[in-house]
Amino acid sequence: MFARAVIFLGPPGAGKGTQAKLVASRFNVPHLSTGDMLRDNVSRGTELGLLAKPVMERGELVSDALVLRMVEERIARPDCRNGFVFDGFPRTVAQAEALDGILAKQGIGAPAVIYFNVAEDVLMRRLTGRRTCKACGEIYNIYDRPPKVDGRCDADGGELVQRADDKPEVIRERLAAYDRQTKTLVDYYRSQGVLHEVDGAASMEAVTASVFGALSKFEARA
Ligand code: AP5
């Protein structure tokens, strides 16, 4: 199907990761979460991880230069030939402009951008309730999507853990960083005619239906 870049844009906790996994799996393309890539570097203690760790712990954005180097290296790999789903990237105008250049250089057309619109009170509940499987990365929520067995992944029994940056004081800073640096990308992509807004506060199934509906419209236009 789909030789293109898809971007999932929205505030922390909007459901980008939850939906990106489904889309990437359906179209058999990589799910590229810059947050996951950075956390992987942190846990392996790489040079990038050592630089990113204190920034992420404060809830701020990692520098554009570091993120762009990581992303450019990742999408040059052969598994990205038929497209990819970005979750949490780009997050600044500088990242978006650099991505435009990278996509043009690689002969990939304009991205399809799905914007998840969700109010802040919903985001706080989602983020404080999130638990993630240490083994497979499956995302749960103790309020809205609890596992069958407390603390264990339904798929593989892996331990469910809370992310270090899902503490209320760090969440507040992440939301402020979104308002300061990322929200402006909604207008950036709307003005390019590639933005599709979904009601991210709806049920997971309803959001999934809206996302796939939006993507098939993009495909019909391509
Ligand atoms: P990152 O990992 O990207 O986190 P984020 O953008 O803050 O987004 P989240 O992963 O918190 O939320 P999500 O929208 O994916 O929601 P999810 O599906 O999990 O970034 C972390 C940090 O890394 C940043 O703060 C920054 O420091 C750094 N970083 C990353 N990328 C960067 C970049 N490009 N530039 C610079 N720095 C960067 O869902 C949340 C919860 O809600 C889950 O429990 C889920 O089960 C539940 N849920 C989802 N959908 C629904 C629904 N419809 N109804 C009910 N519950 C739902």
Side-chain angles (χ1 to χ4, degrees), residues 10-19 33-36 38-39 55-56 59-63 67 87-91 95 126-127 129-131 139-141 144-145 163 165-166 174 200-204 207:
K16 306 179 297 293
T18 301
Q19 302 294 338
S33 156
T34 43
D36 286 349
L38 289 166
R39 280 185 288 279
V55 182
M56 294 171 79
E60 295 167 7
L61 294 188
V62 175
S63 81
V67 171
D87 154 18
F89 176 86
R91 257 172 146 103
Q95 290 180 17
R126 285 192 186 172
L127 290 168
R130 173 167 53 190
R131 301 291 182 272
I139 303 167
Y140 294 86
N141 194 285
D144 299 315
R145 193 186 174 227
R163 249 168 62 174
D165 60 353
D166 277 348
R174 288 164 58 204
S203 71
M204 283 186 208
V207 177

Side-chain angles (χ1 to χ4, degrees), residues 184-195:
T184 183
L185 293 183
V186 174
D187 290 332
Y188 180 91
Y189 285 118
R190 188 174 277 137
S191 69
Q192 293 184 10
V194 295
L195 187 99

Side-chain angles (χ1 to χ4, degrees), residues 118-129:
V118 187
E120 195 164 318
D121 54 333
V122 177
L123 298 173
M124 186 55 91
R125 174 184 157 94
R126 285 192 186 172
L127 290 168
T128 52

Side-chain angles (χ1 to χ4, degrees), residues 11 67 72 79 92 98 101 179 190 204:
V67 171
E72 198 159 6
D79 65 339
T92 62
D179 279 344
R190 188 174 277 137
M204 283 186 208

